[in-house]
Amino acid sequence: MGEQPIFTTRAHVFQIDPTTKKNWVPASKQAVTVSYFYDSTRNSYRIISVDGSKVIINSTITPNMTFTKTSQKFGQWADSRANTVFGLGFASEQQLTKFAEKFLEVKEAAKLARDKSQEKMETSSNHSQESGRETPSSTQASSVNGTDDEKISHGGPETEQLQSENDRLKTAVEQSNTNAKKWETELQTLKESNARLVDALQESNTNVETWKKQLATCKEESDQLRIKIAELEAQCNDANQEKERNAQLTLRVQELEAELQDKEQELENLRKQAEIIPQLMTECESITGKLQAAETANKELTGRMDTLHSDVEESHQKQGHMKGELKKFMDVLEGKIDELHEVRQGLSKLGLDN
């Protein structure tokens, strides 16, 4: 079946700075997939993470490893084979807890796998030693007791026990050979994995150089864009100032248009008044004529008054009557004089306005 993923999550990947051994260096620009893999052929566990075509984590879990939580969302572990320390930044504390629990589970499984492998090796070694010790005995038994047929016929239960022991040893030797072939296969797999990792490392180095060039190009484009943005902001500021000036000018134009309409209305009123002026002049001339006639009449009345004064003494009743008429006439005359003065004042104002 090969390697199969057994747990997957997403996190930001960091590695310890190889120079200072204190600062963290980001290995990924963003959150990437981090997975536990189980290799059923080799009975081993690995943590693997790939960013694009670059392998940023390839850590085989051993029983001696420890995953440490350094904050609510950050954890780390040391890999002596890779000679580095990996750090993972998670989006939540829950994701960190799940990853830590899985690390402990995988670590225990790796420990059990190591113990079983050691037990098998010890058992195989013991069987090999027992086989080496028992073979001379069998040979000696054969030489003493004769052929196998003779041994079976003459040896009895002891011969049968030796035969079963030999069969068991043969099975152990075959198992050892099978294990040796398995280990050779695993060694070949490791060599192939190392070759693939070397190729991936070379490819990643090539990608790093390419990314450095792309980063330099992006920086240049970013600087150019910043300059353009600054120019556009300056143009926008000028445009905003121009808009403010245009708005002020628009308000001023509206005010001037309103004033112009008021002036046009006043001019229209003056035109209407100018059309009335000839009529007023005619009325003024008519009033002037009437005034002259009134003055002539006043003179005549003055003459009459002189005559009436001479006749006052003759008739008190006639005098009283004449005084009443004279009083009425004087009232009328004063009204006409007031009207004439008002007309003159109106003509004077019209003349000033024109």
Side-chain angles (χ1 to χ4, degrees), residues 12-16 24 57 74-77 85-89:
H12 291 270
V13 180
F14 299 87
Q15 288 187 8
I16 200 71
W24 289 106
I57 298 179
F74 194 87
Q76 66 183 47
W77 78 95
V85 179
F86 294 102
L88 297 179

Side-chain angles (χ1 to χ4, degrees), residues 123-350:
T123 303
S124 176
S125 177
N126 292 333
H127 288 174
S128 297
Q129 291 175 1
E130 290 176 0
S131 176
R133 290 194 301 268
E134 294 294 337
T135 301
S137 299
S138 299
T139 305
Q140 184 178 1
S142 298
S143 62
V144 173
N145 296 326
T147 63
D148 292 341
D149 293 338
E150 293 174 351
K151 178 183 69 174
I152 294 172
S153 60
H154 298 286
E158 182 180 357
T159 303
E160 292 178 357
Q161 182 179 1
L162 290 174
Q163 183 67 30
S164 62
E165 185 68 21
N166 286 334
D167 293 338
R168 185 174 61 80
L169 291 175
K170 287 181 181 179
T171 304
V173 170
E174 291 177 355
Q175 183 67 30
S176 298
N177 293 332
T178 302
N179 291 334
K181 291 180 181 179
K182 179 180 178 181
W183 292 335
E184 289 177 359
T185 303
E186 290 182 356
L187 179 61
Q188 184 64 28
T189 303
L190 286 174
K191 289 180 179 180
E192 292 176 357
S193 298
N194 289 333
R196 288 197 299 269
L197 289 173
V198 169
D199 294 338
L201 180 60
Q202 293 176 353
E203 184 179 358
S204 65
N205 291 331
T206 304
N207 292 334
V208 166
E209 296 297 330
T210 304
W211 292 338
K212 286 181 179 178
K213 294 179 181 178
Q214 292 178 354
L215 180 60
T217 305
C218 290
K219 285 183 178 179
E220 292 178 358
E221 293 178 354
S222 177
D223 294 336
Q224 294 176 358
L225 289 174
R226 286 196 183 107
I227 295 171
K228 289 182 179 179
I229 289 171
E231 294 175 353
L232 290 174
E233 287 179 350
Q235 293 177 1
C236 288
N237 292 330
D238 294 339
N240 291 331
Q241 293 177 359
E242 188 67 24
K243 285 181 179 179
E244 291 178 357
R245 288 196 294 269
N246 289 336
Q248 293 175 357
L249 290 173
T250 302
L251 292 175
R252 182 58 182 164
V253 168
Q254 292 176 355
E255 291 175 357
L256 291 174
E257 287 178 351
E259 291 179 359
L260 181 60
Q261 290 179 357
D262 294 338
K263 296 295 183 183
E264 288 179 351
Q265 186 65 33
E266 291 179 0
L267 182 59
E268 184 66 23
N269 294 333
L270 290 174
R271 285 176 181 172
K272 291 180 180 179
Q273 291 177 3
E275 292 176 355
I276 300 173
I277 287 174
Q279 183 179 356
L280 293 175
M281 292 295 291
T282 303
E283 291 180 356
C284 183
E285 290 176 357
S286 175
I287 292 170
T288 303
K290 290 179 180 181
L291 182 59
Q292 290 176 358
E295 288 177 354
T296 304
N298 191 15
K299 289 179 181 180
E300 291 178 356
L301 288 174
T302 303
R304 285 184 184 181
M305 285 177 64
D306 293 338
T307 305
L308 289 172
H309 278 296
S310 62
D311 294 337
V312 167
E313 294 177 359
E314 294 180 357
S315 178
H316 291 287
Q317 186 177 2
K318 189 176 180 179
Q319 185 179 6
H321 180 71
M322 289 300 293
K323 282 182 179 180
E325 289 180 355
L326 180 59
K327 186 178 180 180
K328 291 180 180 180
F329 184 79
M330 289 300 292
D331 293 334
V332 173
L333 182 59
E334 287 176 357
K336 295 294 182 180
I337 290 171
D338 293 335
E339 290 179 358
L340 181 59
H341 283 297
E342 290 177 357
V343 170
R344 284 183 177 179
Q345 290 177 359
L347 291 174
S348 298
K349 290 182 179 179
L350 290 175

Side-chain angles (χ1 to χ4, degrees), residues 81-141:
R81 295 182 181 180
N83 193 24
T84 187
V85 179
F86 294 102
L88 297 179
F90 295 89
S92 65
E93 184 178 2
Q94 183 179 4
Q95 292 180 352
L96 173 60
T97 302
K98 289 183 179 179
F99 188 88
E101 291 174 353
K102 196 65 181 179
F103 193 96
L104 183 60
E105 178 184 340
V106 170
K107 175 182 173 181
E108 294 297 328
K111 183 178 180 180
L112 291 175
R114 185 189 65 179
D115 295 341
K116 288 182 180 180
S117 177
Q118 289 178 354
E119 289 177 0
K120 287 183 179 180
M121 292 178 66
E122 290 175 358
T123 303
S124 176
S125 177
N126 292 333
H127 288 174
S128 297
Q129 291 175 1
E130 290 176 0
S131 176
R133 290 194 301 268
E134 294 294 337
T135 301
S137 299
S138 299
T139 305
Q140 184 178 1

